[in-house]
Amino acid sequence: MRMMAVFEKSERIRHIGHLDIQRSVQRGLRRSGLPVAYSGGFHPHILISFASALATGAAGKREIMDVTLAEPVTPELFLEKMNQAMPPELHLIEAAPMDDKAPAMMSLVRAAEYDLAIDGEEAAAMLTAAIPAALGQTELTAMRKTKTKLEECNIRPLIHALDGAGNHIHAVMTLTERESCKPGMLLEALCRLAGLENPPRMVVTRLRLLGSDETGGFIPLEKMA
Amino acid sequence: MNQGKMTNQDQRTNHEKMERALDAVQKAPRYTGGEMNTRIKEWEDTPLRFGFCFPDTYEVGMSHLGLKILYGLINRESWSLCERFFMPWTDMIAQMKENGIPLLSMESRHPMREFDVIGFTLQYEMSYTNILAMLDMGRIPLESRERDEADPIIVAGGPCAFNPEPLAPFIDAFMIGDGEDVMTELNRVILERKEKGESRQDCLRKLAQLDGVYVPGLYDVAYHEDGTVKSVTPVCPEARPTVLRRFVTDLDSAYYPEEIPVPYTEVVFDRIMLEIMRGCTRGCRFCQAGMLYRPVRERSMEHLAELAEKLVASTGYEEISLSSLSSGDYSCLPELIRELMRRLKDKRVSISLPSLRLDSVLKESLEETQQVKKTSLTFAPEAGTQRLRDVINKGVTEQDLLEKCRDAFEGGWSSVKLYFMDGLPTETTEDLDGIGDLARKVVAEYFRVPKPQRAKGLRVTVSASTFVPKPFTPFQWDAQDTIPQILEKQAYLKKALNIKGVTFNWHEPYLSYLEACFARGDRRLGAVLRRAYEKGCILDGWSETFDFGKWMEAFRECGLDPAFYANRVRPMDEILPWDHIDSGISKAYLRKEKERSSRAEVTKDCRQGCNGCGLQRYDGICSWAKGKGDAPCA
Ligand code: SF4
């Protein structure tokens, strides 16, 4: 059976990269004593996939994984066993069984909601003040890094919500395999509008992953399992 | 005592500063902690706080078994907690300096000064400046005599503690020998001091009375005019004239962790290490570990199998390696492996094997279940000719080695690593040629296997390290080759090993030279260490930070000659700087071994009959001395 689980990557371990998080969750599954399923082949591995790789340096409040189990297990038991086996820094929040034929969670991600905690009150105030101007534009440029080059792109259509209060900026931005707006790109664009030469340090927390319903509106990805 | 002087406000500020620093460094996960099976015990409610310091980077330290043993052991007691400190890399050090962050523990991010005991593990000499750097970043006065009542007690243990003298000015107390028992005894004395408000000096005198504990500040060292040691004299009744190392006699009743921290990132040894035995009886004459960890003590099979199961369950690791100086000598290795395979059958754990000395039935079943990892094979003949191997008592014959290689090539292996040493006592060019010959013969063995049967891509890696004479070995009186001599030999070897399919690895001799100085150094070297540190020497084990020139300046400025320590043949009757430490191995035995060595006479493995190394003098220490040993399958 397949189990979808929502987990948190704590701020403390935000510098751990995606591959290491993957390995840590796999080891957690091995510790849990749950009946995990392995792939066939010469080097069998645990059947698990993550809805979206979270950047090194970012924390995640509601990240999503999809685990295949060799035998049926209740979500309650799954949560209990896993939380005994995981470090507190990688805590599981919710679990739900999935249809075996359901598409991979990865293919359903459309956008993500972020919190950007800006270091420095002055910078935060300037950036927040620039938000209305940013939303008023039809074009907002930022540099996008691809595998081979650095290119300019318009991120305005990728921003679906943007507001700020105190030291925090809150944003909902496109996240698909094809295109996405990363928090760093947003910060860069806002800095330009605010006239900030050096982008301030920030701590990024991805609050949740979003999919879309029939009407095209965003809904929490876990609701789609 | 003066604990808790740090306010919550300071604590928060340090934490925030650290978080900022983490964004500015490479490899931040080295500093973030929070790994599975690490523990943050209640700070306020735990009376004795121990800071375990590994004086090298996180990746190296987290690969170290001793850390895991003591971490578990100290945290297990309700009254003590253990948190880890590692040596930060240069980018982090710069951040810490710039932002005024003291060295903080991995777990609760408490500054070093807030701990009651700070314990360093001494695994190699070239980590010594890191100890000074860590104390300095921890805002603790570097030298014992500069510390006051509010400072933690600084202790150290590990193999290098057997010659503690170069570190004597910096360390308040050394633990000599097996650490499991003495660790708790030492913590108890320090806790008592805290509770009763005893003075630092009184506490150190009490520590000196514990078996296996050496408090260097309680000894006076006098020197002859030529710089050799004249005498080492205790200055108070609590200090014993000689300190005998500690022995754990029964490994099965000694503490072994059932849960070990699992790092998020890959470290050097990222797997379960199961210490199946301690000690080695082969008696290689260059090998310090072989002397220091005597006698051989084996864990029982039942205990090991149980530990393995528990560790697999608590860590989720995919691999177990059997660890010891010479695992192939474990008296019932095939039975142990079978038992491990049986118990871990469904757990998808691979077992890394130390040796090919397995019967063929077992080999087959290992291959079937794929529970064994086909990593590269390593052999350590150490010397290129039988004569020199006899001199060093390395019981490897050419025929034996070639047979094993053929076995391996037939079994589908294609890469072999061969380890040698250059600069061994009595070495000549013939011995260096021998290394080339041996490598050539290994290559020939590979080509002797019919093409369809052998794995593609032969890789023979020959590594040559520079011999470093070590205390408590039969070569403790010998000279190390000078740097020009070593360079010449390395150049010669490079030519001799210019063979297709063979890669030659070697290291510049400068680090080995310093290692030779500090391994057999006296107390005066403390000044050199401090001077080198002040000149900026840290992380000396890393080529990108090692600066030999600064070290030589430090020696010069302290008026000491490194050659006096490294390149001088010491007369047998000279008082050695570590003579007041008793490793249990008698000097008479080491002398006898040295003499046999000079006649190229081998000494048999003492499991075949006691050689009288000195341990037989103590009751109940070496079970082999009486003839039979207490091996689980013997
Ligand atoms: S006492 Fe004898 S048997 Fe025991 S380690 Fe020494 S030489 Fe070997």
Side-chain angles (χ1 to χ4, degrees), chain B residues 281 294-296 589 606-607 609-616 622 624-625:
Chain B
T281 43
R294 283 185 182 214
V296 158
Y589 176 74
C606 64
R607 288 202 203 199
C610 177
N611 294 319
C613 71
L615 292 186
Q616 78 285 355
C622 182
W624 299 88

Side-chain angles (χ1 to χ4, degrees), chain A residues 12 14 30-31 119 201, chain B residues 19-20 23 32 106 316:
Chain A
R12 176 174 191 156
R14 67 185 201 280
R30 290 168 57 84
R31 289 189 291 264
D119 204 356
R201 173 184 168 271
Chain B
E19 282 300 317
R20 283 199 190 100
D23 284 336
T32 55
M106 291 288 285

Side-chain angles (χ1 to χ4, degrees), chain A residues 11-16 20 23-24 27 30-31 38 42 44 84-87 89-90 119 201-203, chain B residues 19-20 22-23 28-29 32 34 36 106-107 264-266 270 313-318 347-348 370:
Chain A
E11 195 174 318
R12 176 174 191 156
I13 61 161
R14 67 185 201 280
H15 295 284
I16 310 290
D20 291 331
R23 196 181 43 232
S24 301
R27 286 189 178 146
R30 290 168 57 84
R31 289 189 291 264
Y38 284 82
F42 201 70
Q84 281 165 8
M86 295 297 283
E89 316 303 323
L90 283 171
D119 204 356
R201 173 184 168 271
M202 64 169 175
V203 174
Chain B
E19 282 300 317
R20 283 199 190 100
L22 285 171
D23 284 336
T32 55
M36 184 67 196
M106 291 288 285
E107 279 78 3
Y264 290 102
T265 49
E266 262 175 287
D270 202 17
S314 71
T315 62
Y317 268 128
E318 310 77 12
K347 299 278 191 287
R348 294 168 197 268
Q370 290 175 20

Side-chain angles (χ1 to χ4, degrees), chain A residues 67-82:
Chain A
V67 184
T68 303
L69 297 165
E71 289 161 35
V73 168
T74 64
E76 293 74 30
L77 186 71
F78 183 84
L79 274 184
E80 188 196 317
K81 291 272 182 205
M82 277 303 276

Side-chain angles (χ1 to χ4, degrees), chain B residues 423-435:
Chain B
L424 285 164
T426 76
E427 183 182 64
T428 64
T429 35
E430 216 169 282
D431 301 302
L432 300 179
D433 289 333
I435 296 178

Side-chain angles (χ1 to χ4, degrees), chain B residues 102-238:
Chain B
L103 193 60
L104 302 172
S105 64
M106 291 288 285
E107 279 78 3
S108 65
R109 288 199 179 153
H110 273 88
M112 205 177 233
R113 285 187 60 81
E114 304 289 306
F115 286 77
D116 303 300
V117 201
I118 291 298
F120 287 93
T121 177
L122 311 175
Q123 298 297 316
Y124 28 87
E125 291 81 6
M126 294 322 289
S127 66
Y128 289 177
T129 52
N130 297 344
I131 296 175
L132 304 202
M134 288 173 79
L135 287 172
D136 212 4
M137 286 186 280
R139 299 180 186 164
I140 294 170
L142 294 186
E143 293 188 33
S144 246
R145 58 179 173 82
E146 301 164 325
R147 290 178 198 135
D148 65 24
E149 298 297 329
D151 291 309
I153 304 276
I154 313 298
V155 302
C160 294
F162 279 81
N163 176 19
E165 290 308 293
L167 286 173
F170 314 104
I171 303 293
D172 296 322
F174 289 92
M175 291 173 274
I176 320 276
D178 298 317
E180 285 99 333
D181 298 334
V182 67
M183 188 72 258
T184 313
E185 293 167 21
L186 178 131
N187 280 345
R188 272 216 187 87
V189 171
I190 294 174
L191 177 61
E192 208 180 277
R193 172 209 180 200
K194 191 176 173 181
E195 284 169 352
K196 294 194 183 149
E198 280 169 3
S199 76
R200 188 177 187 87
Q201 202 51 34
D202 286 348
C203 175
L204 291 178
R205 285 175 184 230
K206 278 193 185 163
L207 288 176
Q209 293 170 64
L210 294 177
D211 290 335
V213 174
Y214 169 61
V215 178
L218 304 181
Y219 296 77
D220 265 343
V221 184
Y223 301 88
H224 291 294
E225 239 161 65
D226 64 3
T228 55
V229 175
K230 187 173 176 196
S231 63
V232 178
T233 331
V235 299
C236 63
E238 290 88 349

Side-chain angles (χ1 to χ4, degrees), chain A residues 99-173:
Chain A
D99 193 86
D100 278 350
K101 291 190 199 70
M105 296 304 282
M106 202 184 310
S107 64
L108 301 176
V109 182
R110 294 288 172 270
E113 189 179 331
Y114 297 93
D115 172 73
L116 280 52
I118 307 297
D119 204 356
E121 272 167 43
E122 204 184 322
M126 288 167 77
L127 290 172
T128 319
I131 288 177
L135 290 173
Q137 319 237 340
T138 50
E139 198 148 313
L140 260 184
T141 53
M143 298 308 283
R144 173 171 62 195
K145 236 199 269 168
T146 67
K147 273 191 200 105
T148 47
K149 55 183 189 290
L150 205 61
E151 60 187 20
E152 219 169 65
C153 70
N154 177 17
I155 60 168
R156 182 59 193 89
L158 309 179
I159 300 173
H160 308 290
L162 183 62
D163 54 85
N167 277 7
H168 292 268
I169 292 174
H170 172 259
V172 175
M173 302 187 288

